[in-house]
Amino acid sequence: MKEMLITLLFPRRCPVCGEIVPGISGVRGGALPPLENLICPECIDSLSPVRQPVCMRCGKEVTGSRTEYCPDCMRHPRSFDGGAALFHYNEAARRSMAAVKYKNRREYLDFYSQAMVSRYGKWLSHIRPDALVPVPVHPARRRKRGFNQAEELAERISLLTGISVRADLLIRIRKTLPQKELNPAERLNNLRLAFAVSDFYKIHPDQLPERVVLADDIYTTGSTVEACSQTLLQAGFDKVYFLC
């Protein structure tokens, strides 16, 4: 009865079209509803999954099975050890992510986290991360928005996998320009010295996890993930991966 009442009062909405999706609502008992209860059947086709073959470093699609690295990773050396993305950033995905960040539709991340674990759960088991580390936003931006979408995503992945979230580990110490307005070179320069490991872990380096997965909502040129990865590796981490 309680769940039925919650569903009536707060019906789940499709992360693509925003219309009400029939089914149960909310995160219950450490597990999310089935994927079919999180998105309209017709809307799932508007999202474009990243398909094999992919770049061995960043996980972007490449042109052929013999191609090891994408053009970006061939031009720009990467410090992270690998990564994966769920969908291409097409118009449907762009609208969905904008609704999460600017219209407080955090519940949309239930679908994305569930789909991520369904697809990349074996990969996570293989790399055996010690923690999920959300890419931080600047405190001023967090105050304005009320949350960090990367942390919200990481918390949901944690519920499904049991991998702990270390949201206190990486901090943003410099407010940067919006990345979407910059070219790839400007993006990386914009993020230099923007991140730092929190003071607690500088004082207690023995508390640092050895291998982590950075969690973020969007991967485009890889500048943000690269800047975070460099910061973590310089602090003494062994392996850094990402999931977006």
Side-chain angles (χ1 to χ4, degrees):
M1 177 63 74
K2 181 180 178 181
E3 293 297 334
M4 290 178 62
L5 182 60
I6 291 174
T7 301
L8 288 171
L9 293 174
F10 305 102
R12 181 173 293 281
R13 294 185 178 273
C14 172
V16 175
C17 71
E19 295 299 319
I20 294 173
V21 179
I24 54 180
S25 177
V27 180
R28 302 176 4 261
L32 295 177
L35 279 176
E36 59 267 23
N37 285 353
L38 298 173
I39 189 170
C40 294
E42 58 272 20
C43 285
I44 188 68
D45 293 331
S46 67
L47 295 171
S48 174
V50 175
R51 302 186 187 280
Q52 295 286 341
V54 297
C55 174
M56 293 175 63
R57 183 69 69 182
C58 74
K60 282 186 178 179
E61 282 188 19
V62 292
T63 53
S65 58
R66 294 187 178 182
T67 303
E68 293 185 343
Y69 301 104
C70 71
D72 280 346
C73 288
M74 286 191 287
R75 283 194 300 266
H76 308 292
R78 306 298 195 184
S79 64
F80 52 80
D81 292 273
L86 186 63
F87 295 115
H88 293 287
Y89 193 54
N90 64 7
E91 181 58 24
R94 186 197 66 77
R95 289 197 312 269
S96 185
M97 289 297 99
V100 171
K101 290 195 281 191
Y102 308 122
K103 296 182 180 179
N104 199 21
R105 293 293 188 183
R106 283 177 271 183
E107 70 272 16
Y108 290 179
L109 297 175
D110 290 352
F111 164 74
Y112 291 109
S113 58
Q114 181 87 328
M116 279 181 172
V117 173
S118 177
R119 180 166 184 184
Y120 294 120
K122 289 184 179 179
W123 175 70
L124 287 170
S125 297
H126 174 71
I127 63 175
R128 294 179 288 109
D130 300 308
L132 297 165
V133 177
V135 171
V137 296
H138 191 271
R141 189 163 293 168
R142 180 166 188 148
R143 284 194 298 270
K144 181 178 180 180
R145 190 175 296 165
F147 63 95
N148 173 8
Q149 70 279 357
E151 186 175 340
E152 295 278 339
L153 178 63
E155 292 287 356
R156 286 163 169 79
I157 295 172
S158 177
L159 278 175
L160 295 165
T161 62
I163 304 169
S164 64
V165 177
R166 303 285 281 272
D168 64 332
L169 200 156
L170 193 63
I171 58 175
R172 198 158 192 149
I173 56 175
R174 180 169 166 244
K175 192 174 183 180
T176 54
L177 296 170
Q179 290 287 87
K180 63 183 179 181
E181 299 174 4
L182 307 174
N183 65 38
E186 290 171 335
R187 288 181 181 213
L188 188 56
N189 188 58
N190 184 44
L191 289 164
R192 292 189 191 280
L193 306 179
F195 302 100
V197 171
S198 63
D199 290 339
F200 173 83
Y201 294 100
K202 293 177 183 177
I203 299 171
H204 303 282
D206 58 305
Q207 298 292 317
L208 286 172
E210 289 189 0
R211 55 179 64 199
V212 297
V213 173
L214 289 162
D216 204 6
D217 55 338
I218 300 166
Y219 181 102
T220 49
T221 65
S223 299
T224 301
V225 169
E226 177 59 28
C228 290
S229 178
Q230 289 180 13
T231 300
L232 293 172
L233 291 170
Q234 289 167 7
F237 286 71
D238 182 39
K239 299 282 186 181
V240 178
Y241 303 87
F242 74 86
L243 190 58
C244 297

